[in-house]
Amino acid sequence: MEWASSGPDCRSIVNHQAYELNEVLRGQHKRAVWHLHGDVNDAKTIVLTSSSYNRLYPGGEQETQWKAALEVFRSIIARKSLVFIGYGLGDIQIIEQLLDIAKLFDGVPGPHYVLATEEVKWKVIAKGLPVEVVWFKEKGEPLLELLRAMELIGSPFTSSATFTLDSTGPVADFNPQNPAFNVRFRPKGNQVKGRDDQLEAVRQQLTQGRRTAIGQTAAFHGVGGLGKTQLAVEYAYKFRDEYPGGVVWLEADSDIDAQLIELAVKSRWVSPQSEHKDKLEIALRRIRSSSDILLVFDNVEERAEIEPYLPETNADPHILLTSRDNHAGFTTVDLDLLTNEVAFELLIQEANRTPENESEEDAARKIVEALGGLPLAIELAGAFIDEYGISWSGYLNLLNQDLSQALPTGISSFTHHEAGLFRTLQV
């Protein structure tokens, strides 16, 4: 600050002083200290609490007289090179502005730099920002020496005896804007039977249905064994190209935070060396602020369990649930039992063979009736018949005698949701 503010021509400007900010943009002041987050000598200007952040940044009720400050800041990001000193870029609002400007101008603005000790270098890199890291050994004289060298050399920085430009260069390798696709199950494609109408209904709802406060929503609804998860998988694969930001799949009945931390690393949103809290922070910001993604919550029991992960009001993603229950804010697409004929076709397909004679065909149709038109049950029955080579009548006898042996845990479906199926069949 002493270096930046020295000289009689330096101006001190507080965040919302629109006229003075405009003078800076016009180049009237070569040197200025701009208190973007306020001046300690004027408590009204301090940006510290959540309500004060909402005055300055989008997402809340932004006050008119503060909008100029944000627009000036964004203009500076786009037109100038910034050097962050003594700041680890931990403010999520600053991060959003950097990422948004880089996206708008296809990464052209800058270059921007952040000064960091080597011990925190990876924390900065982990955030995946459009900045380059210039690291120094320790604070005090080494940092002052670096600043003096930068003042003499100017920008862009080049290697010298007084400071080192981080060898990793720009942090483009780790970028929270990288598209994601973490659907953990395989699609069945045209092997899915009798569900074309439901897939089309979900697509219609997500693209043309009534928008809710959290975006375009839909839910596959029904008892266990109807294939809700598999249909969500089919939708994700079929329409993945319609979502430039990718598809984020979260198991609502498992630790969602852990899933997001893993996703942040696999999608290269952050460096693997970063702390878990940083990975989670970036992942949460990514899924809650994006409008170009499909967000899938599988096996939701209570809306409260996914509430912390739903989008902010200024985002407009597509959200798809699978659930046994209806949930407020989500338009349900009910899944019915398969008709006997469609269920019979599915059983033949999964068993990989047709009945040899009329008696065996009759047994196959009775298997379908016994399993109640549940796609998951029929899929498992067909897999059992195919795996063990049992006759249709032999399997029917086994099914009538012992359900647990006829649908053993050793054989699983594409989505591994057999527990829900057994509860349904036992009812």
Side-chain angles (χ1 to χ4, degrees):
M1 291 292 291
E2 180 182 354
W3 162 72
S5 60
S6 61
D9 60 339
C10 180
R11 297 290 301 272
S12 179
I13 303 171
V14 181
N15 38 33
H16 62 285
Q17 293 177 328
Y19 176 78
E20 290 82 353
L21 293 174
N22 188 51
E23 292 294 292
V24 171
L25 277 183
R26 293 174 57 193
Q28 299 300 312
H29 303 297
K30 292 185 178 179
R31 289 187 175 187
V33 176
W34 181 24
H35 303 273
L36 176 61
H37 282 183
D39 187 341
V40 293
N41 296 313
D42 187 354
K44 299 190 301 296
T45 67
I46 296 296
V47 177
L48 181 62
T49 64
S50 58
S51 60
S52 61
Y53 265 84
N54 287 340
R55 289 185 302 184
L56 180 59
Y57 295 102
E61 296 182 2
Q62 191 182 17
E63 295 185 7
T64 302
Q65 67 267 32
W66 291 59
K67 288 183 178 180
L70 182 61
E71 293 307 316
V72 169
F73 181 48
R74 289 170 60 85
S75 178
I76 291 174
I77 294 174
R79 297 170 56 187
K80 305 289 185 179
S81 285
L82 300 183
V83 180
F84 293 90
I85 304 172
Y87 176 60
L89 291 175
D91 193 316
I92 195 64
Q93 302 287 2
I94 301 294
I95 289 174
E96 285 184 341
Q97 303 309 315
L98 285 168
L99 290 173
D100 190 44
I101 294 297
K103 183 177 181 181
L104 284 174
F105 294 95
D106 198 23
V108 172
H112 304 308
Y113 304 89
V114 58
L115 308 189
T117 58
E118 191 165 13
E119 65 184 68
V120 301
K121 175 177 65 175
W122 284 109
K123 291 184 180 180
V124 176
I125 291 176
K127 297 182 183 297
L129 302 177
V131 299
E132 296 183 28
V133 178
V134 181
W135 63 272
F136 55 92
K137 292 183 178 180
E138 56 186 11
K139 296 179 181 178
E141 188 56 35
L143 176 55
L144 294 176
E145 183 181 357
L146 172 59
L147 290 172
R148 295 188 194 103
M150 290 168 59
E151 181 183 13
L152 292 173
I153 297 172
S155 179
F157 307 140
T158 55
S159 299
S160 76
T162 56
F163 71 94
T164 304
L165 180 64
D166 181 72
S167 60
T168 58
V171 200
D173 284 344
F174 302 109
N175 188 340
Q177 299 305 314
N178 287 339
F181 191 86
N182 69 322
V183 180
R184 53 182 295 222
F185 306 117
R186 292 182 292 118
K188 296 185 69 177
N190 57 15
Q191 293 183 343
V192 175
K193 300 294 183 182
R195 295 305 193 203
D196 291 344
D197 289 345
Q198 286 83 0
L199 278 177
E200 182 57 35
V202 163
R203 183 61 183 167
Q204 185 83 5
Q205 168 59 27
L206 289 178
T207 56
Q208 302 177 33
R210 179 179 62 85
R211 187 188 184 281
T212 71
I214 55 174
Q216 298 290 125
T217 67
F220 283 126
H221 167 254
V223 298
L226 282 173
K228 300 181 294 294
T229 295
Q230 189 63 53
L231 276 188
V233 171
E234 301 304 323
Y235 181 89
Y237 275 91
K238 183 174 182 178
F239 296 104
R240 64 184 298 180
D241 291 341
E242 303 298 322
Y243 299 99
V247 177
V248 174
W249 182 288
L250 297 172
E251 303 286 337
D253 54 354
S254 298
D255 187 337
I256 296 181
D257 283 358
Q259 295 173 63
L260 287 174
I261 289 171
E262 179 183 16
L263 176 63
V265 173
K266 288 187 175 180
S267 300
R268 299 186 66 77
W269 292 346
V270 295
S271 165
Q273 288 92 342
S274 62
E275 296 181 5
H276 282 350
K277 64 181 182 63
D278 293 325
K279 297 173 185 174
L280 181 59
E281 177 186 344
I282 293 297
L284 279 171
R285 177 57 54 184
R286 178 70 168 86
I287 68 169
R288 299 195 68 219
S289 64
S290 298
S291 297
D292 59 354
I293 66 170
L294 171 66
L295 189 56
V296 181
F297 292 100
D298 186 33
N299 203 23
V300 176
E301 294 186 0
E302 301 289 342
R303 174 165 168 156
E305 62 196 13
I306 64 170
E307 198 71 43
Y309 311 97
L310 293 177
E312 299 169 345
T313 55
N314 58 339
D316 188 22
H318 289 181
I319 311 173
L320 179 60
L321 301 190
T322 71
S323 179
R324 288 168 167 250
D325 303 307
N326 293 319
H327 298 282
F330 290 86
T331 300
T332 60
V333 175
D334 291 317
L335 300 186
D336 299 322
L337 298 171
L338 297 179
T339 65
N340 284 344
E341 195 57 40
V342 172
F344 179 73
E345 292 177 10
L346 178 60
L347 180 63
I348 299 301
Q349 170 186 284
E350 299 300 320
N352 203 29
R353 59 190 170 94
T354 57
E356 298 83 1
N357 52 53
E358 186 176 332
S359 175
E360 287 292 275
E361 180 176 335
D362 182 62
R365 293 189 180 277
K366 288 181 178 179
I367 292 171
V368 166
E369 294 175 6
L371 294 176
L374 291 168
L376 184 55
I378 295 166
E379 180 184 326
L380 291 175
F384 185 101
I385 294 169
D386 183 40
E387 176 75 17
Y388 296 105
I390 189 173
S391 67
W392 300 98
S393 56
Y395 182 80
L396 178 61
N397 290 334
L398 180 63
L399 183 62
N400 290 331
Q401 294 170 8
D402 191 337
L403 178 65
S404 62
Q405 287 193 27
L407 301 172
T409 56
I411 295 180
S412 62
S413 66
F414 271 46
T415 56
H416 312 296
H417 282 185
E418 289 72 39
L421 166 67
F422 293 140
R423 288 197 299 268
T424 301
L425 288 173
Q426 287 166 358
V427 171

